[in-house]
Amino acid sequence: MHISSLPNARGIGSLGKEAYEFVDFLADAGLTLWQVLPLCPTSYGDSPYQSPSALAGNPYFIDIDTLIKDKLLLPEEAPTYDIKPVDYAEIYFERYETLKKAYVRFIAKPPKAYTKFKSENSFWLDDYALFMAIKEKHDMQAWETWEDEYKHRTADMSEFDKAAEFHKFLQYEFTTQWLALKCYANSKGIKIVGDMPIYVAYDSVEVWSHPEQFMLNEDLSRKVVAGVPPDYFSADGQLWGNPLYNWDYMKSTDYSWWVMRMAMAMRLYDVVRIDHFRAFADYYEIAADRTDAKVGEWRDGPGMELFDIINDKLGDPEIIAEDLGELHDCVRELVNNTGFPGMKIMQFAFDGNPKNDFYYTNYGNNCVAYTGTHDNDTTRGWFDKLTDSEKNIVRSTLGYYGDDITAEIIDRLFSSNADTVIIPMQDFLNLSGKARMNTPSTLGGNWAWRSKPTWTRKAKTIRKLVEKYNRL
């Protein structure tokens, strides 16, 4: 359940009252993990996997009612909305203007904690705030379009100090509210599972401020980009466009950027799922001038060397490896060597093969089992779209011919050997495909689903399931 999907009257989920009520629901239901999508800011396309910063928090999630309570806003200064799918354009044009009103009052007498926050986070916050201030001056255009003195960071940047301070305030408010929510969840015995995209966006502060970490040309344009080759799902492959890491340079610095990134993640979360984990073993490199991913080369990633350093520096953080897709032996070897649990998706299990790795009876202990992920349809939506013959395969494989296929699949996952089971909230609510979070390789209508607080009525049913399979 992503933060954006929580109900409230402010147009998008926040870190306020409803988030705390959701934690209470999880505790009542006997659930001990809450997985969220990346918390970073969104930009074009609204995807949390393409962000202007890998480290910053999304200002949209700052709870407006908390700002009113703190006397930083007047109630009439904050618009209200019906609970509906997130309209990111509407929120974009309203929310920053509302937050600027709060900032004017805040900065007139900032608390000592703000000075401490800025000092402790200056290693990333200063560059991020400056980056966002320059973007605002350029109507939010990508940094590659800026004048050379801004693009190459040779200009006197002091003119942006005042504008940058607003973005520092936003990060202070986000971090304060998020850590308070996380502390509350932990006090209820609930761990937060975060999500880390392996790559960063080209139009990000990370690439702009440290181009040496990426495979770029002298003019800072992309040399090669990330993606995956053609497969059963896509004849052209997937051309993501993210710049690839300069692993040789990163190795020469003992992977200090990755250690820092993971340390930041472990401050925000208790467990981190790393998206596209396979690229640490081998990754697909595509020339930047390609218009599809048909032609590319597999390159070796940093492998176990990186995780040896992370474990040594950070004390074996809890990590989930997203190991889906067609995997080479080196990927399986890396996942095995790290000891990280991989992922099992039950929707992928019904091909008629009784030894299918995704079927619940074939799971080992060290894995995380899901009905589907944010990139899959809801289980009800998935089943509804199957042909009659495909539905028959699902029913005959399960030996179940009743009406609630979603509840049956959830029950089977809870009965499996998997140490961990995580269910999308849409499936606990048995929602149709209208509640799907994301359809990959499409623009518009994604990341917008919002829940009404009907989950409160599900707590007893879920708790019975947890108790039934001794997972309490």
mmCIF file of all heavy atoms in Angstrom, residues 347 371-373 376-385 406 424 426-427 430-437:
data_model
loop_
_atom_site.group_PDB
_atom_site.id
_atom_site.type_symbol
_atom_site.label_atom_id
_atom_site.label_comp_id
_atom_site.label_asym_id
_atom_site.label_seq_id
_atom_site.Cartn_x
_atom_site.Cartn_y
_atom_site.Cartn_z
ATOM 1 N N GLN A 347 0.781 -15.060 -9.695
ATOM 2 C CA GLN A 347 0.116 -14.896 -10.991
ATOM 3 C C GLN A 347 0.905 -15.529 -12.136
ATOM 4 O O GLN A 347 0.350 -15.810 -13.195
ATOM 5 C CB GLN A 347 -0.135 -13.412 -11.287
ATOM 6 C CG GLN A 347 -1.237 -12.783 -10.449
ATOM 7 C CD GLN A 347 -1.499 -11.340 -10.845
ATOM 8 O OE1 GLN A 347 -1.152 -10.909 -11.954
ATOM 9 N NE2 GLN A 347 -2.104 -10.569 -9.954
ATOM 10 N N THR A 371 0.966 -12.223 -4.450
ATOM 11 C CA THR A 371 -0.011 -12.522 -5.502
ATOM 12 C C THR A 371 0.460 -11.841 -6.784
ATOM 13 O O THR A 371 0.513 -12.438 -7.855
ATOM 14 C CB THR A 371 -1.400 -11.997 -5.110
ATOM 15 O OG1 THR A 371 -1.275 -10.637 -4.640
ATOM 16 C CG2 THR A 371 -2.027 -12.841 -4.032
ATOM 17 N N GLY A 372 0.784 -10.557 -6.689
ATOM 18 C CA GLY A 372 1.316 -9.764 -7.796
ATOM 19 C C GLY A 372 2.021 -8.557 -7.219
ATOM 20 O O GLY A 372 2.003 -8.331 -6.004
ATOM 21 N N THR A 373 2.641 -7.768 -8.070
ATOM 22 C CA THR A 373 3.339 -6.556 -7.635
ATOM 23 C C THR A 373 2.609 -5.333 -8.180
ATOM 24 O O THR A 373 1.567 -5.446 -8.834
ATOM 25 C CB THR A 373 4.793 -6.528 -8.138
ATOM 26 O OG1 THR A 373 4.802 -6.226 -9.552
ATOM 27 C CG2 THR A 373 5.490 -7.865 -7.902
ATOM 28 N N ASN A 376 1.757 -5.578 -11.823
ATOM 29 C CA ASN A 376 0.767 -6.559 -12.263
ATOM 30 C C ASN A 376 -0.639 -6.016 -12.066
ATOM 31 O O ASN A 376 -0.864 -5.107 -11.260
ATOM 32 C CB ASN A 376 0.897 -7.864 -11.458
ATOM 33 C CG ASN A 376 2.242 -8.525 -11.635
ATOM 34 O OD1 ASN A 376 3.032 -8.602 -10.700
ATOM 35 N ND2 ASN A 376 2.519 -8.993 -12.833
ATOM 36 N N ASP A 377 -1.584 -6.614 -12.779
ATOM 37 C CA ASP A 377 -2.989 -6.305 -12.535
ATOM 38 C C ASP A 377 -3.354 -6.816 -11.144
ATOM 39 O O ASP A 377 -2.635 -7.643 -10.553
ATOM 40 C CB ASP A 377 -3.855 -6.986 -13.598
ATOM 41 C CG ASP A 377 -5.176 -6.279 -13.813
ATOM 42 O OD1 ASP A 377 -5.619 -5.526 -12.911
ATOM 43 O OD2 ASP A 377 -5.786 -6.479 -14.887
ATOM 44 N N THR A 378 -4.465 -6.336 -10.601
ATOM 45 C CA THR A 378 -4.971 -6.959 -9.390
ATOM 46 C C THR A 378 -5.270 -8.424 -9.707
ATOM 47 O O THR A 378 -5.474 -8.790 -10.871
ATOM 48 C CB THR A 378 -6.256 -6.270 -8.908
ATOM 49 O OG1 THR A 378 -7.292 -6.495 -9.870
ATOM 50 C CG2 THR A 378 -6.045 -4.770 -8.722
ATOM 51 N N THR A 379 -5.304 -9.273 -8.706
ATOM 52 C CA THR A 379 -5.528 -10.696 -8.983
ATOM 53 C C THR A 379 -6.903 -10.925 -9.598
ATOM 54 O O THR A 379 -7.055 -11.725 -10.530
ATOM 55 C CB THR A 379 -5.352 -11.521 -7.695
ATOM 56 O OG1 THR A 379 -3.988 -11.389 -7.277
ATOM 57 C CG2 THR A 379 -5.647 -12.992 -7.937
ATOM 58 N N ARG A 380 -7.889 -10.209 -9.103
ATOM 59 C CA ARG A 380 -9.219 -10.324 -9.719
ATOM 60 C C ARG A 380 -9.194 -9.823 -11.158
ATOM 61 O O ARG A 380 -9.757 -10.455 -12.062
ATOM 62 C CB ARG A 380 -10.231 -9.524 -8.885
ATOM 63 C CG ARG A 380 -11.654 -9.573 -9.430
ATOM 64 C CD ARG A 380 -12.600 -8.845 -8.492
ATOM 65 N NE ARG A 380 -13.711 -8.244 -9.204
ATOM 66 C CZ ARG A 380 -14.499 -7.301 -8.709
ATOM 67 N NH1 ARG A 380 -14.284 -6.845 -7.483
ATOM 68 N NH2 ARG A 380 -15.490 -6.810 -9.415
ATOM 69 N N GLY A 381 -8.524 -8.680 -11.396
ATOM 70 C CA GLY A 381 -8.428 -8.151 -12.757
ATOM 71 C C GLY A 381 -7.675 -9.095 -13.673
ATOM 72 O O GLY A 381 -8.055 -9.293 -14.838
ATOM 73 N N TRP A 382 -6.609 -9.688 -13.168
ATOM 74 C CA TRP A 382 -5.813 -10.662 -13.939
ATOM 75 C C TRP A 382 -6.668 -11.865 -14.330
ATOM 76 O O TRP A 382 -6.685 -12.278 -15.495
ATOM 77 C CB TRP A 382 -4.623 -11.088 -13.095
ATOM 78 C CG TRP A 382 -3.989 -12.392 -13.470
ATOM 79 C CD1 TRP A 382 -3.128 -12.612 -14.504
ATOM 80 C CD2 TRP A 382 -4.165 -13.661 -12.813
ATOM 81 N NE1 TRP A 382 -2.746 -13.935 -14.531
ATOM 82 C CE2 TRP A 382 -3.373 -14.595 -13.514
ATOM 83 C CE3 TRP A 382 -4.907 -14.082 -11.714
ATOM 84 C CZ2 TRP A 382 -3.314 -15.944 -13.141
ATOM 85 C CZ3 TRP A 382 -4.845 -15.408 -11.339
ATOM 86 C CH2 TRP A 382 -4.061 -16.326 -12.050
ATOM 87 N N PHE A 383 -7.406 -12.416 -13.363
ATOM 88 C CA PHE A 383 -8.218 -13.606 -13.635
ATOM 89 C C PHE A 383 -9.358 -13.274 -14.599
ATOM 90 O O PHE A 383 -9.649 -14.052 -15.521
ATOM 91 C CB PHE A 383 -8.774 -14.182 -12.332
ATOM 92 C CG PHE A 383 -9.491 -15.484 -12.508
ATOM 93 C CD1 PHE A 383 -8.777 -16.663 -12.714
ATOM 94 C CD2 PHE A 383 -10.883 -15.547 -12.481
ATOM 95 C CE1 PHE A 383 -9.436 -17.878 -12.890
ATOM 96 C CE2 PHE A 383 -11.542 -16.748 -12.650
ATOM 97 C CZ PHE A 383 -10.824 -17.910 -12.855
ATOM 98 N N ASP A 384 -9.979 -12.124 -14.427
ATOM 99 C CA ASP A 384 -11.095 -11.734 -15.300
ATOM 100 C C ASP A 384 -10.665 -11.618 -16.750
ATOM 101 O O ASP A 384 -11.467 -11.867 -17.664
ATOM 102 C CB ASP A 384 -11.691 -10.398 -14.844
ATOM 103 C CG ASP A 384 -12.501 -10.519 -13.555
ATOM 104 O OD1 ASP A 384 -12.826 -11.661 -13.176
ATOM 105 O OD2 ASP A 384 -12.798 -9.475 -12.944
ATOM 106 N N LYS A 385 -9.417 -11.256 -16.997
ATOM 107 C CA LYS A 385 -8.941 -11.055 -18.370
ATOM 108 C C LYS A 385 -8.460 -12.345 -19.038
ATOM 109 O O LYS A 385 -8.148 -12.349 -20.229
ATOM 110 C CB LYS A 385 -7.822 -10.012 -18.381
ATOM 111 C CG LYS A 385 -8.279 -8.591 -18.051
ATOM 112 C CD LYS A 385 -7.112 -7.615 -18.117
ATOM 113 C CE LYS A 385 -7.548 -6.182 -17.849
ATOM 114 N NZ LYS A 385 -7.963 -5.955 -16.462
ATOM 115 N N THR A 406 -9.398 -14.824 -5.788
ATOM 116 C CA THR A 406 -8.385 -14.008 -5.114
ATOM 117 C C THR A 406 -8.145 -14.502 -3.692
ATOM 118 O O THR A 406 -6.995 -14.718 -3.282
ATOM 119 C CB THR A 406 -8.806 -12.526 -5.084
ATOM 120 O OG1 THR A 406 -8.986 -12.047 -6.417
ATOM 121 C CG2 THR A 406 -7.746 -11.680 -4.393
ATOM 122 N N PRO A 424 -0.748 -7.217 -1.993
ATOM 123 C CA PRO A 424 -1.211 -5.857 -2.305
ATOM 124 C C PRO A 424 -2.577 -5.605 -1.667
ATOM 125 O O PRO A 424 -3.441 -6.490 -1.674
ATOM 126 C CB PRO A 424 -1.312 -5.862 -3.841
ATOM 127 C CG PRO A 424 -0.389 -6.963 -4.282
ATOM 128 C CD PRO A 424 -0.469 -8.001 -3.202
ATOM 129 N N GLN A 426 -5.026 -4.050 -2.700
ATOM 130 C CA GLN A 426 -6.114 -4.242 -3.665
ATOM 131 C C GLN A 426 -6.611 -5.677 -3.661
ATOM 132 O O GLN A 426 -7.798 -5.930 -3.896
ATOM 133 C CB GLN A 426 -5.656 -3.866 -5.081
ATOM 134 C CG GLN A 426 -5.361 -2.388 -5.270
ATOM 135 C CD GLN A 426 -3.892 -2.067 -5.126
ATOM 136 O OE1 GLN A 426 -3.234 -2.547 -4.190
ATOM 137 N NE2 GLN A 426 -3.363 -1.257 -6.041
ATOM 138 N N ASP A 427 -5.703 -6.636 -3.418
ATOM 139 C CA ASP A 427 -6.110 -8.041 -3.412
ATOM 140 C C ASP A 427 -6.794 -8.423 -2.105
ATOM 141 O O ASP A 427 -7.743 -9.218 -2.109
ATOM 142 C CB ASP A 427 -4.904 -8.955 -3.687
ATOM 143 C CG ASP A 427 -4.507 -8.936 -5.151
ATOM 144 O OD1 ASP A 427 -5.266 -8.373 -5.969
ATOM 145 O OD2 ASP A 427 -3.442 -9.483 -5.486
ATOM 146 N N ASN A 430 -10.041 -7.458 -2.791
ATOM 147 C CA ASN A 430 -10.595 -8.131 -3.973
ATOM 148 C C ASN A 430 -11.134 -7.128 -4.995
ATOM 149 O O ASN A 430 -12.255 -7.252 -5.497
ATOM 150 C CB ASN A 430 -11.701 -9.123 -3.570
ATOM 151 C CG ASN A 430 -12.037 -10.076 -4.718
ATOM 152 O OD1 ASN A 430 -11.211 -10.339 -5.594
ATOM 153 N ND2 ASN A 430 -13.259 -10.589 -4.727
ATOM 154 N N LEU A 431 -10.296 -6.147 -5.334
ATOM 155 C CA LEU A 431 -10.717 -5.105 -6.272
ATOM 156 C C LEU A 431 -10.449 -5.519 -7.718
ATOM 157 O O LEU A 431 -9.568 -6.321 -8.001
ATOM 158 C CB LEU A 431 -9.982 -3.801 -5.953
ATOM 159 C CG LEU A 431 -10.246 -3.224 -4.556
ATOM 160 C CD1 LEU A 431 -9.470 -1.931 -4.369
ATOM 161 C CD2 LEU A 431 -11.733 -2.997 -4.327
ATOM 162 N N SER A 432 -11.203 -4.924 -8.623
ATOM 163 C CA SER A 432 -11.072 -5.219 -10.053
ATOM 164 C C SER A 432 -9.834 -4.544 -10.627
ATOM 165 O O SER A 432 -9.117 -3.814 -9.935
ATOM 166 C CB SER A 432 -12.310 -4.724 -10.795
ATOM 167 O OG SER A 432 -12.305 -3.299 -10.854
ATOM 168 N N GLY A 433 -9.607 -4.736 -11.913
ATOM 169 C CA GLY A 433 -8.467 -4.148 -12.599
ATOM 170 C C GLY A 433 -8.477 -2.624 -12.604
ATOM 171 O O GLY A 433 -7.453 -2.004 -12.908
ATOM 172 N N LYS A 434 -9.598 -2.006 -12.264
ATOM 173 C CA LYS A 434 -9.639 -0.541 -12.173
ATOM 174 C C LYS A 434 -8.710 -0.026 -11.074
ATOM 175 O O LYS A 434 -8.339 1.148 -11.080
ATOM 176 C CB LYS A 434 -11.067 -0.073 -11.905
ATOM 177 C CG LYS A 434 -12.019 -0.278 -13.082
ATOM 178 C CD LYS A 434 -13.407 0.245 -12.767
ATOM 179 C CE LYS A 434 -14.343 0.059 -13.957
ATOM 180 N NZ LYS A 434 -15.723 0.542 -13.662
ATOM 181 N N ALA A 435 -8.375 -0.911 -10.129
ATOM 182 C CA ALA A 435 -7.504 -0.514 -9.018
ATOM 183 C C ALA A 435 -6.036 -0.830 -9.296
ATOM 184 O O ALA A 435 -5.203 -0.707 -8.395
ATOM 185 C CB ALA A 435 -7.948 -1.209 -7.739
ATOM 186 N N ARG A 436 -5.713 -1.219 -10.520
ATOM 187 C CA ARG A 436 -4.320 -1.528 -10.859
ATOM 188 C C ARG A 436 -3.440 -0.303 -10.639
ATOM 189 O O ARG A 436 -3.810 0.820 -10.986
ATOM 190 C CB ARG A 436 -4.230 -1.995 -12.310
ATOM 191 C CG ARG A 436 -2.821 -2.373 -12.733
ATOM 192 C CD ARG A 436 -2.807 -3.012 -14.103
ATOM 193 N NE ARG A 436 -1.458 -3.453 -14.460
ATOM 194 C CZ ARG A 436 -1.176 -4.318 -15.430
ATOM 195 N NH1 ARG A 436 -2.156 -4.845 -16.139
ATOM 196 N NH2 ARG A 436 0.079 -4.664 -15.673
ATOM 197 N N MET A 437 -2.242 -0.516 -10.077
ATOM 198 C CA MET A 437 -1.354 0.605 -9.761
ATOM 199 C C MET A 437 -0.582 1.080 -10.982
ATOM 200 O O MET A 437 -0.432 2.277 -11.201
ATOM 201 C CB MET A 437 -0.386 0.200 -8.643
ATOM 202 C CG MET A 437 0.305 1.374 -7.984
ATOM 203 S SD MET A 437 -0.870 2.449 -7.139
ATOM 204 C CE MET A 437 0.204 3.542 -6.234
#
